[in-house]
Amino acid sequence: MSAPHEPLGLDNGLTNYGDRDFARYLRRSMAHSMGVSDELLSKPIVGIATSPSQFNNCHRYMPELAEAVARGVLAAGGLPREFPTISLGEVFLNPTSMVFRNLMSMDVEEMIRGQPMDAVVLIGGCDKTVPAQLMGAASAGRPAIQLVTGPMMTGRHKGERLGACTDCRRFWGKFRAGEIDRVEIKQVETRLATTAGTCAVMGTASTMACITEALGMSLPGTAAIPAVDSQRLVAAEETGKAAVRLARHPITPDQVITSQSVENAFRLLMSLGGSTNAIVHLTAVAGRLGIRISPDRLNQISDETPVLVDLKPVGEGYMEDFHAAGGVGAVLRELKPLLHLDCLTIDGTTLRQRLETPAGWVDRKVIRSFEQPISPVGGLIALSGTLAPHGAIFKRAAATPALFEVEGRAVVFEGLEDMAARIDSPDLDVNADDILVLKNAGPHGAGMPEAGYLPIPSKLARAGVKDMVRISDARMSGTAYGTIVLHVAPEAAVGGPLATVRSGDRIRLSVANKRIDLLVDEAEIQRRLAQWSPPPKPERGYAALYRNTVLQAPEGCDLDFLVGRAKAPAST
Ligand code: FES
């Protein structure tokens, strides 16, 4: 536990009137107008950062969670003060929530720093919200603890369980292939997401919730509790109490998010077979504190870390099964020999202390032992090569092994509109062993939407083709699967080699060598680049700020002026 500290409470960061006593008196007067007593105004203040919105289904129970956090704060002798930030509902934002992650992080950072609080509880859930909150809190530098909203429960359809959103894609694929009709897809639509909470599989939201626990930024055992389980409210109350302890014994995010805890988080990501998006988000969170994990180190971690968790989209189960099976704690205990155990966590204990007690009963159908993994190597790898000189990401756990070592003819789409217009055309010149390529869907090109899961052209889907190699500078939903190369950098819109690919070029993917190569002469690539011109930029507002400053995927897609100073890399 850190040294005791006298919380400043309401005196934190007084408003600048040039008269501190006046500022204090005025602030207390306005606080009294909210009906808060003198006694409570003298307590440590815990901010509760919330983001409920009727455009965010995943945060539907957030008001009840905030109430439970406040209860915990009061019980521990603090004054809770809830405050809103913007909310990012994954499927309600255009062009993509990814563009707004950095905006939310700035909102979180400035509101933590600008308002009088000794510690803050961050409540988030939907894909971009937890990364945004961790990024903002890391930059703000105040004691902070994360609470997630928790995953949805599954629905039912014709005797099988359904969970957003792996099953959303599976049934959409069946509909596109003509295997189910319009009436059935309509029924499925109402059965995929039936409760509050984040998507029910190991998608981006769940992966980030688990990563947060592995980083040590949330209480142990809290990542996977379903949103509607009463234990989630207990976890919220406990998080409120922990925040008061943080106010009195400060631990700041930079003490918890270190190069070693980031490596632990990457290990967990590999063993979960988790979302490719988590690499971008964890890189951005770490980047706020000047921490960088190289692609080679990422691959080393992946090659050493087995996949232990059998959940969709790479396996069978859902998050409710993961929670019942033992959750993050059970996985971390299996990974113990590979982890940096001296990392400090937000409750003042080390990871070693957190993992000292045995896991208890573990459902080995869902969480395998280290000795009997689902796969001996991790779920994600970094690729490089002439098509992606600065890197690309490949989720080998969700891909078809028969497509790991292939060379094929490129079928190129110049952008999202081109793909939408032609992918299902009966005239599209495409065969099952071709490689589909999407350009101009990276951070600069389109805000990096989750468009990397290119649909199988319908004429091939109807012929029974289930998977093809697909390459883009886009991202992919954490709930999606297939032989898909993502995050190609530099992206097409900044003149990366991807910009030069033409239909008919040959491309080679080698998972064994971790390479993605465009088999075109360098001189020809340079000749094509000389004829290339960048797409136009937006001229005003946040879109212009984003476009002028966003970094490439290997740097976390943060805005360049928000990244922290570099620190020494982790020891290997
Ligand atoms: Fe929010 Fe999937 S829509 S986590």
Side-chain angles (χ1 to χ4, degrees):
M1 178 149 292
S2 65
H5 150 97
E6 195 52 52
L8 290 173
L10 213 56
D11 286 353
N12 265 298
L14 289 168
T15 312
N16 219 342
Y17 295 112
D19 180 341
R20 292 177 60 79
D21 288 339
F22 173 72
R24 192 174 288 117
Y25 149 81
L26 192 61
R27 180 174 286 180
R28 293 182 68 83
S29 160
M30 296 302 166
H32 281 305
S33 86
M34 290 185 271
V36 185
S37 66
D38 265 332
E39 185 191 354
L40 273 180
L41 287 181
S42 67
K43 304 282 186 193
I45 296 182
V46 172
I48 306 172
T50 61
S51 49
S53 160
Q54 289 188 332
F55 290 111
N56 192 340
N57 57 295
C58 299
H59 292 189
R60 181 153 65 89
Y61 279 179
M62 197 171 280
E64 203 179 355
L65 277 180
E67 195 182 306
V69 171
R71 206 159 57 225
V73 172
L74 286 168
L79 171 62
R81 290 291 88 184
E82 190 182 327
F83 65 97
T85 68
I86 61 169
S87 187
L88 307 180
E90 186 60 24
V91 302
F92 294 95
L93 282 159
N94 176 274
T96 163
S97 64
M98 186 63 189
V99 168
F100 303 105
R101 183 201 63 180
N102 299 338
L103 183 64
M104 181 173 179
S105 81
M106 290 162 74
D107 185 355
V108 170
E109 175 183 345
E110 299 306 335
M111 289 304 100
I112 292 174
R113 210 184 349 243
Q115 299 178 118
M117 63 191 81
D118 299 295
V120 61
V121 175
L122 312 159
I123 314 182
C126 197
D127 286 17
K128 307 303 178 296
T129 59
V130 170
Q133 290 181 326
L134 290 175
M135 290 161 73
S139 296
R142 290 246 171 103
I145 183 167
Q146 182 81 54
L147 174 72
V148 296
T149 58
M152 293 177 198
M153 302 295 283
T154 52
R156 296 288 184 279
H157 176 68
K158 293 188 173 173
E160 71 170 310
R161 289 194 296 167
L162 295 189
C165 234
T166 302
D167 296 322
C168 315
R169 294 170 204 287
R170 186 164 61 85
F171 274 89
W172 191 249
K174 285 182 180 216
F175 176 61
R176 279 175 57 80
E179 292 170 28
I180 61 171
D181 61 17
R182 229 167 246 292
V183 174
E184 185 164 358
I185 195 73
K186 186 70 194 159
Q187 283 176 340
V188 169
E189 184 184 297
T190 60
R191 295 169 182 175
L192 286 163
T194 53
T195 75
T198 50
C199 285
V201 299
M202 191 55 82
T204 304
S206 296
T207 306
M208 286 309 302
C210 295
I211 276 180
T212 304
E213 189 176 323
L215 274 175
M217 283 298 293
S218 56
L219 290 181
T222 58
I225 305 169
V228 296
D229 189 319
S230 59
Q231 287 305 304
R232 179 145 296 287
L233 294 173
V234 175
E237 200 178 293
E238 292 302 324
T239 302
K241 292 179 193 167
V244 177
R245 289 195 294 276
L246 278 178
R248 296 197 169 112
H249 301 271
I251 299 172
T252 45
D254 63 328
Q255 294 176 270
V256 175
I257 304 171
T258 62
S259 53
Q260 296 203 326
S261 70
V262 171
E263 286 203 353
N264 287 343
F266 273 121
R267 288 244 182 242
L268 182 77
L269 169 63
M270 298 304 168
S271 70
L272 298 174
S275 166
T276 48
N277 289 321
I279 293 185
V280 178
H281 298 322
L282 189 51
T283 299
V285 172
R288 290 297 180 97
L289 297 168
I291 300 163
R292 184 89 200 271
I293 306 292
S294 72
D296 286 346
R297 181 65 181 143
L298 186 74
N299 281 337
Q300 189 184 358
I301 288 172
S302 185
D303 286 345
E304 293 168 352
T305 311
V307 176
L308 300 178
V309 176
D310 190 5
L311 292 194
K312 291 173 187 269
V314 301
E316 286 306 315
Y318 295 89
M319 285 302 288
E320 63 199 43
D321 306 319
F322 182 60
H323 173 58
V328 171
V331 185
L332 291 177
R333 282 172 175 83
E334 293 300 321
L335 297 178
K336 224 169 150 179
L338 298 175
L339 298 174
H340 302 290
L341 293 171
D342 292 326
C343 293
L344 180 67
T345 75
I346 205 65
D347 55 14
T349 59
T350 61
L351 184 60
R352 186 189 311 280
Q353 289 169 315
R354 274 194 178 185
L355 302 181
E356 241 159 30
T357 51
W361 181 80
V362 176
D363 184 347
R364 292 294 175 200
K365 289 196 299 297
V366 179
I367 301 172
R368 302 282 186 84
S369 67
F370 194 87
E371 292 72 31
Q372 293 185 310
I374 291 160
S375 158
V377 292
L380 308 169
I381 54 170
L383 305 176
S384 65
T386 55
L387 186 55
H390 295 174
I393 293 297
F394 183 74
K395 187 170 184 176
R396 59 183 166 188
T400 305
L403 297 176
F404 279 13
E405 307 296 324
V406 291
E407 182 187 315
R409 184 183 69 136
V411 174
V412 176
F413 300 96
E414 293 296 325
L416 294 160
E417 284 181 16
D418 182 35
M419 181 176 76
R422 294 195 295 124
I423 190 102
D424 288 336
S425 164
D427 300 330
L428 184 68
D429 177 13
V430 64
N431 300 305
D433 53 1
D434 288 338
I435 294 178
L436 304 180
V437 177
L438 171 65
K439 299 179 184 178
N440 295 310
H444 285 247
M448 212 179 179
E450 291 183 336
Y453 178 77
L454 279 74
I456 303 293
S458 70
K459 68 180 185 185
L460 296 181
R462 285 176 187 275
V465 176
K466 299 278 188 239
D467 196 8
M468 296 173 72
V469 178
R470 288 160 269 179
I471 300 173
S472 73
D473 44 13
R475 294 177 303 115
M476 171 173 87
S477 165
T479 62
Y481 47 90
T483 309
I484 298 176
V485 177
L486 301 156
H487 310 180
V488 168
E491 62 172 298
V494 298
L498 185 64
T500 69
V501 185
R502 293 180 182 169
S503 287
D505 288 347
R506 307 287 296 175
I507 292 175
R508 185 186 299 134
L509 168 67
S510 171
V511 175
N513 295 325
K514 300 188 172 74
R515 285 196 67 88
I516 184 75
D517 288 298
L518 175 60
L519 306 180
V520 172
D521 282 351
E522 179 57 26
E524 172 62 13
I525 290 177
Q526 292 306 325
R527 195 183 65 74
R528 291 180 189 178
L529 276 177
Q531 295 166 354
W532 171 85
S533 57
K537 287 185 176 185
E539 287 179 0
R540 65 166 302 279
Y542 177 70
L545 175 70
Y546 179 87
R547 183 63 186 282
N548 288 328
T549 59
V550 70
L551 297 168
Q552 293 289 284
E555 296 157 293
C557 298
D558 205 353
L559 305 185
D560 59 12
F561 59 90
L562 296 173
V563 175
R565 277 175 289 124
K567 289 186 182 161
S571 62
T572 59

